[in-house]
């Protein structure tokens, strides 16, 4: 539950995002535990909307190895539907898998991969 | 229509009976059929009531028109009823209504009155004929409705079923039509004049109908559709695609009185919508209240909560999107009120247990309400210390005005949201109370459902509130809790932020130690700006300055936030010093402070322990094994995350295979984690995250100090110097840096850093330079003097007592090298060596303590003793080669000699005795070779050492008294090179003039010198070897000859050949013949010999007897011939089979009779008395006849003749090496004969 990688735009409200993401882990945990009971093998990785706040929507995604991705999106951005979010997560997951494939990456370390960084940046630019 | 009186009489029963039974309602569009209960309202038919074209009211729509009549005679029917019916039908047709029913009520009572009545069915038939020409089911007979008979019941049932079916049919049709209308209306929404409100009313009508039919699900769907449609419009509006009708929703919000959920239908708002005057909030409120009502009908209160939260969020969003002007705080009020309203509504319809188990759904509302109240509090100045100012008050009044008046339905409840908000906004104290109540409720709920992180976040808000109220005490607990969570999960930014708040809080509380600790953490925090970090650093420093006057008081802080120990460097690098030596330790401290900090002192506490009597602590071991480079690197732990990933141990995984024992196939395989216990414990024990404040300062007696150091930001090098005192191991334990009374302590230095101090006794070692010392040539021996604590003065010398056989060669210049204990060469000095008869004294150069003096001396071991170790005696020619091979196989052990030297050392009264072992580099063997009667001696010199030698001046001398014996050397060279592991042979011929002596005693000597060295300082003694040759004179020659079978030209395989063996005696009776085998009869001596034909390579099959005993006359040229049959087994040139001669010694025993030799031979069991070295021969005999060995063991103890092999020199096999040509047999097939 420690952050591997955090990035946010705009930078000024970074702290708020951090708090938000951290709090959302609660919901992630809750969802995982309820889902784990239901179906273990064929689990949907996408958790959907974790919880909405007034200004942001928080989406979650959990890999099978319990690596969590949380995405906070401005809720006024209505162009982002569930499907888009889902594909974004999938992209994120793929990129993360690439990072993990790096033999020099020590699982559990902070991610410093440039490729991953670029991918996230491009995704952010695309959204915003 | 029709007979009103009749209807009224039936109506009660009808309305009661109709909804009693459910009907299946099949719906269009494949929607699932449902069982519904019909309930209908009956109204008297009036023409005005019929719907006009275009009317959209579904709720009051007449579904079925029924004509009631009770007419029973034809006349009346014709007169009135028919006309009436026709008129009715026409009206209906005019309104294009096809749903009608004619009910004929029969009454038996009436029938009885009139006798000439037509059959009752006729009227029905008539009506049917007249009106229902196609739809005969549109006319129903209801008989005796008011009586209670079975027939009545039956007809009622039939009627009701019919009625229901028709009603439903009509309803379905109309509903379908309505829905279609509605859809067309919706499709028109892009047209400019379209109004959402109108459409809203239409669709709501549908929803009402569904609700009426108890189809809440469907009703809800209608509202959801409306909701979605509206949301879509708002979104489109946001995207710039605005619809006209939306603009009036954009009017400024003037009232924010929250949701009203108590009434099923909020008519007030509905009217507003109908009048198209509703604001966005009104519309939303109304929609939601309807949805809420329906959801509650559906027993889904949790969805209400969930939807409420979504609604509130989206409303806020929509208002923003539509750019509706909202006075500040109004939305907060609205949201707050709505939250509470929803919550109370849910509470109102659920019991306690249900609520408790579903907190997860409502907690969001709670926290939202809390958040909003907080926002309101800040807005209205209720949070600050001083209370609200006039501007805040004005704002509050405005907000309260917007709330409007309290609603009548909640006016008398004490806890209405309205009242709560009013109260909370009215005064600071009330606000605090309400806010804290809400917050605590929220935290409690979050904690109870396990959302600790959310709870912590709310807690942090509360803490902030407390800080505003200047009650830091209460804030601290919340902050600490939150901080712990963030730390545990490694969230850097929240950690920093929370710490900052905590620092402020601690400052207020005056918790100096905690404050300083937090400050130091903050000062090293990379997430803060440079100014902030400098500020916190300055806080520490200024505190340190002002507390100078009170000595003795120390504040201990953990070091890791202040600075990190990066590496540590020892000098000398192996961290081993002798007692009294100087040691310097240089550490690299990485300062995390943003500004240079001047430290009063930096000290390292050292723990001292003595490990006596352990070899690992002796000087040799330490100097040899601790050859590290002296730099110890410390893992750079990130100070922020003491319990993040890097502190957890790595997984130790190992593969596991389990194979089935029977066929070695893989049963299971898996991966085992070997340190599960550590990993799991780590997870649980995450509680002690923050370094415990109680950093104990160890007061060791041994402290390395360094005063007045200024630590720059970044890496700093600090050097400590110390003088080693007592021997033992010193472990570096703690590192502490102090500024005034503030001490930064690193409680443990890990990995363990130690240095060792030793003291050492002086010692002398003597060891050869090479692997082994070789005797006979000068060899170098290394002397090592370890001075230890003894200082070697000029004039100290080693006294070596000489040994006779070992010379110490004094060369002109001997150099000694002096090393320090850590193998650094310090100086070279010359040695003075004085040799006298008994003693050689070596003057040592002066050397300080803890140094090593090394020098080399040459010694020479005289090979005098080497000859004493003689080789074994003579053997026969074939045996000797095998024997050598044997020896070579069994080992290269050189013959060694030991010399003991005793040395007197200046530091000790005892003399040291040192044993030096020299090995002889050569091994020599000899052999006797014969050719007929001529005899040769062969000497083989084998070099066993690694060195090459030069051999010279070989000579063989007879040391016996045989003067008539001549040894003629056949060796051409006088100088010969002998390489390592090689042999050189020397051959001499023995010539004699007289009858030779039975034994010959010889001495072989050869001079040798190492081939590599050209010139030697001294002359070396030659290598000598003494040996004895016996019975070298040839007595018999054996000659074997194979001739092919008679008539054949060549020997053929498989055919018998004759073997002729002739044994010839060469000499007359000699000394050596005088033994047991010799029999004397009439001055005619004869000796019994046994011959044996053996073919070791199984080329020949010996047919018949292979051995026999012959009596040989002892006289020159006496010959004995033996014929034998042999058969060649292979073709080609075959060597002849061996013929061996033995002496046949009869058993000398008084009582035993002489056994016939032939019977023994028949038995083929011979006890062969052989030389012990003849093992190979023996085995060859055994292999020939396995029976023999068994038989011989059986015959143990029985008297039997013995066989004695003749010495090799006495028999000469003249046909040795001869070969016979054997050609393959004609018939070409291979014959295999195995001879056993």
């Amino acid at each position: 539950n420690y952050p591997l990688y955090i990035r946010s735009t705009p930078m000024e409200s970074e702290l708020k995002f951090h708090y938000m993401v951290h709090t959302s882990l609660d919901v992630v945990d809750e969802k995982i535990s309820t889902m784990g009971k239901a179906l273990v093998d064929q689990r949907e990785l996408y958790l959907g909307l974790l919880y909405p706040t007034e200004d942001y929507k928080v989406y979650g995604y959990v890999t099978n190895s319990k690596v969590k991705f949380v995405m906070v999106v401005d809720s006024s951005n209505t162009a982002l539907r569930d499907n888009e979010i889902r594909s974004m997560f999938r992209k994120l997951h793929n990129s993360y898998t690439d990072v993990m494939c790096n033999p020099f990456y020590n699982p559990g370390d902070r991610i410093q991969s440039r490729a991953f960084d670029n991918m996230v940046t491009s995704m952010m630019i695309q959204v915003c | 229509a029709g007979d009103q009186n009749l209807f009224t009489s039936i109506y009660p029963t009808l309305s009661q009976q109709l909804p009693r039974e459910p009907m299946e309602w099949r719906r269009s569009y494949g929607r699932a059929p449902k069982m519904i209960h019909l309930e209908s309202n009956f109204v008297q038919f009036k023409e005005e009531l019929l719907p006009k074209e275009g009317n959209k009211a579904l709720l009051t729509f007449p579904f079925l028109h029924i004509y009631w009549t009770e007419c029973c005679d034809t006349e009346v029917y014709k007169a009135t009823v028919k006309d009436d019916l026709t008129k009715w039908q026409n009206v209906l047709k005019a309104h294009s209504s096809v749903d009608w029913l004619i009910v004929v009520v029969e009454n038996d009572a009436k029938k009885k009155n009139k006798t000439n009545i037509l059959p009752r069915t006729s009227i029905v038939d008539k009506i049917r004929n007249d009106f229902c020409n196609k739809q005969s089911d549109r006319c129903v007979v209801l008989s005796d409705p008011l009586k209670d008979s079975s027939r009545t019941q039956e007809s009622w049932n039939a009627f009701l079923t019919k009625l229901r079916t028709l009603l439903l049919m009509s309803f379905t049709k109309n509903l379908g039509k309505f829905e279609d209308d509605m859809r067309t209306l919706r499709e028109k929404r892009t047209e400019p004049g379209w109004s959402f409100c109108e459409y809203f009313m239409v669709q709501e009508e549908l929803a009402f109908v569904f609700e009426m039919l108890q189809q809440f699900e469907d009703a809800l769907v209608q509202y959801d559709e409306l909701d979605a449609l509206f949301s879509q419009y708002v979104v489109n509006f946001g995207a710039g695609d605005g619809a006209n009708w939306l603009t009036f929703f954009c009017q400024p919000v003037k009232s924010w009185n929250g949701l009203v959920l108590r009434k099923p239908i909020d008519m007030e708002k509905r009217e507003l919508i109908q009048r198209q005057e509703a604001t966005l909030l009104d519309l939303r409120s109304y929609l939601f209240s309807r949805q809420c009502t329906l959801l509650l009908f559906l027993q889904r209160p949790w969805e209400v909560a969930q939807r409420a939260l979504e609604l509130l969020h989206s409303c806020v969003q929509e208002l923003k999107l539509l750019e509706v002007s909202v006075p500040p705080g109004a939305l907060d009020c609205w949201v707050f009120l709505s939250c509470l309203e929803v919550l109370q509504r849910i509470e109102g319809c659920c019991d306690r247990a249900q609520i408790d188990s579903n907190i997860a759904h409502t907690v969001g509302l709670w926290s939202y309400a809390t958040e909003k109240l907080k926002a309101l509090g800040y807005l209205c100045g209720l949070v600050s210390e001083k209370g609200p100012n006039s501007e805040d008050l004005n704002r509050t009044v405005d907000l309260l005005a917007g709330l409007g008046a309290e609603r009548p339905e909640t006016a008398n409840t004490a806890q209405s949201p309205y009242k709560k908000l009013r109260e909370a906004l009215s005064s600071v104290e009330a606000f605090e109370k309400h806010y804290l109540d809400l917050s605590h409720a929220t935290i409690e709920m979050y904690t109870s459902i396990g959302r600790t992180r959310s709870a912590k976040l709310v807690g942090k808000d509360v803490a902030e509130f407390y800080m505003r109220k200047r009650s830091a005490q209460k804030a601290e607990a919340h902050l600490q809790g939150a901080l712990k969570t963030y730390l545990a999960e490694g969230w850097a930014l929240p950690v920093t932020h929370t710490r900052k708040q905590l620092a402020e809080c601690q400052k207020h509380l005056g918790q100096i130690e905690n404050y300083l600790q937090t400050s130091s953490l903050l000062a090293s925090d990379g997430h803060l700006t440079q100014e902030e970090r400098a500020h916190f650093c300055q806080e520490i420093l200024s505190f340190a300055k002002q507390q100078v006057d009170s000595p003795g008081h120390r504040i201990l802080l953990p070091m890791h936030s202040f600075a990190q120990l990066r590496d540590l460097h020892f000098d000398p690098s192996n961290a081993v010093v002798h007692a009294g030596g100087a040691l310097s330790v240089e550490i690299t401290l990485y300062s995390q402070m943003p500004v240079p900090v001047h430290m009063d002192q930096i000290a390292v506490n050292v723990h001292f322990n003595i490990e006596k009597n352990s070899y690992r602590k002796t000087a040799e071991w330490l100097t040899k094994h601790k050859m590290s480079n002296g730099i110890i690197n410390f893992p750079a732990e990130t100070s922020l995350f003491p319990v993040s990933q890097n502190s957890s141990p790595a997984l130790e995984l190992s593969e596991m295979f389990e194979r089935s024992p029977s066929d070695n196939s893989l049963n299971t395989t898996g991966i085992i984690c070997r340190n599960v216990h550590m990993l799991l414990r780590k997870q649980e024990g995450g509680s002690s995250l923050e370094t415990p404040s109680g950093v104990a300062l160890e007061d060791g007696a041994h402290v390395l100090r360094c005063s007045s150091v200024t630590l720059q930001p970044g890496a700093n090098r600090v050097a400590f110097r110390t003088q080693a005192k007592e021997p033992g191991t010193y472990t570096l334990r703690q590192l502490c840096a102090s500024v005034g009374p503030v001490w930064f302590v690193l409680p443990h230095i890990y990995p363990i850093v130690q240095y060792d101090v030793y003291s050492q006794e002086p010692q002398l070692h003597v060891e050869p330079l090479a692997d082994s010392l070789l005797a006979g040539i000068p060899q170098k021996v290394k002397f090592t003097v370890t001075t230890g604590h003894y200082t070697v003065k000029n004039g100290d010398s080693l006294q070596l007592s000489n040994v006779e056989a070992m010379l110490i060669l004094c060369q002109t210049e001997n150099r000694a090298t002096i090393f320090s204990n850590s193998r650094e060469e310090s100086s070279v000095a010359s040695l003075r060596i004085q040799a006298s008869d008994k003693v050689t004294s070596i003057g040592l150069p002066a050397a300080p303590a803890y140094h090593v003096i090394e020098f080399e001396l040459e010694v020479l071991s005289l090979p005098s003793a080497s000859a004493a170790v003689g080789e074994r005696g003579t053997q026969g020619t074939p045996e000797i080669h095998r024997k050598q091979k044997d020896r070579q196989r069994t080992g290269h052990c050189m013959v060694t000699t030991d010399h003991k030297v005793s040395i007197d050392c200046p530091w000790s009264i005892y003399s040291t005795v040192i044993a030096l072992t020299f090995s002889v580099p050569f091994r020599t063997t000899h052999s006797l070779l014969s050719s007929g009667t001529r005899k040769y001696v062969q000497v083989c010199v084998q070099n066993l050492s690694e060195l090459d030698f030069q051999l010279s001046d070989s000579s063989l001398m007879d040391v016996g008294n045989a003067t008539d014996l001549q040894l003629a050397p056949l060796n051409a060279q006088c100088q010969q090179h002998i390489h390592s592991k090689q042999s050189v042979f020397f051959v001499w011929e023995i010539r004699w003039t007289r009858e030779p002596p039975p034994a010959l005693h010889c001495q072989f000597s050869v001079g040798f010198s190492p081939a590599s060295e050209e010139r030697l300082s001294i002359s070396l003694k030659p290598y000598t070897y003494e040996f004895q040759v016996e019975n070298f004179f040839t007595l018999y020659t054996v000659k074997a000859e194979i001739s092919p079978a008679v008539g054949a030209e060549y020997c053929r395989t498989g055919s018998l050949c004759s073997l002729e063996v002739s044994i010839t005696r060469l000499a007359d009776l000699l000394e050596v013949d005088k033994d047991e085998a010799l029999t004397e009869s009439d001055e005619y001596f004869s000796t019994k010999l046994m011959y044996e034909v053996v073919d070791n390579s199984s080329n020949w099959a010996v047919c018949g007897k292979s051995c026999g005993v012959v009596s040989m006359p002892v006289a020159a040229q006496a010959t004995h011939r033996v014929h034998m049959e042999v058969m060649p087994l292979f073709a080609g040139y075959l060597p002849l089979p061996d013929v061996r001669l033995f002496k046949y010694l009869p058993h000398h025993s008084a009582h035993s009779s002489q056994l016939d030799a032939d019977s023994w031979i028949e038995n083929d069991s011979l006890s062969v008395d052989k030389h012990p070295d003849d093992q190979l021969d023996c085995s060859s005999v055994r292999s020939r006849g396995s029976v023999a060995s068994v038989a011989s063991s059986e015959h143990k103890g029985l008297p039997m003749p013995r066989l004695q092999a003749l010495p090799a020199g006495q028999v000469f096999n003249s046909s040795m090496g001869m070969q016979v040509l054997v050609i393959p047999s004609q018939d070409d097939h291979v014959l295999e004969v195995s001879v056993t």
Side-chain angles (χ1 to χ4, degrees), chain B residues 604-721:
Chain B
V604 179
N605 278 328
V606 175
H607 180 259
F608 169 60
N609 88 8
I610 308 167
E611 280 179 56
K612 274 179 180 162
N613 300 326
S614 99
Y615 171 69
R616 291 166 64 84
K617 293 297 158 198
T618 57
E620 299 99 282
W621 193 86
L622 287 171
T623 41
K624 265 180 213 152
H625 291 88
K626 275 191 80 176
M627 279 302 181
S628 65
N629 55 0
I631 297 173
I632 292 128
N633 284 307
F634 297 93
E637 57 163 336
T638 47
S639 64
L640 258 179
F641 316 118
V643 189
S644 65
Q645 60 272 34
N646 45 18
S647 65
S648 71
L651 284 173
E652 281 175 33
L653 295 174
S654 63
E655 283 177 291
M656 182 210 41
F657 298 108
E658 199 170 282
R659 294 179 186 279
S660 75
S662 55
D663 55 347
N664 205 33
S665 64
L666 201 59
N667 267 354
T668 55
T669 177
I671 296 174
I672 302 176
C673 179
R674 295 208 181 278
N675 53 355
V676 177
H677 54 287
M678 291 178 69
L679 292 168
L680 293 185
R681 192 186 52 206
K682 214 77 202 180
Q683 281 174 359
E684 302 158 1
S687 54
S688 59
L689 304 168
E690 190 76 300
T691 326
S693 51
V695 183
L697 185 66
E698 278 181 30
D699 272 326
H702 304 267
V703 177
L704 305 178
R705 277 204 181 78
C706 196
S707 295
S708 275
V709 183
T710 303
L711 289 180
Q712 299 291 334
N716 292 273
R717 301 188 75 87
V718 183
F720 301 93
R721 299 206 159 271

Side-chain angles (χ1 to χ4, degrees), chain A residues 69-81:
Chain A
F69 298 118
V70 175
M71 198 143 63
V72 182
V73 184
D74 198 331
S75 61
S76 62
N77 194 338
T78 44
L80 284 173
R81 291 296 172 82

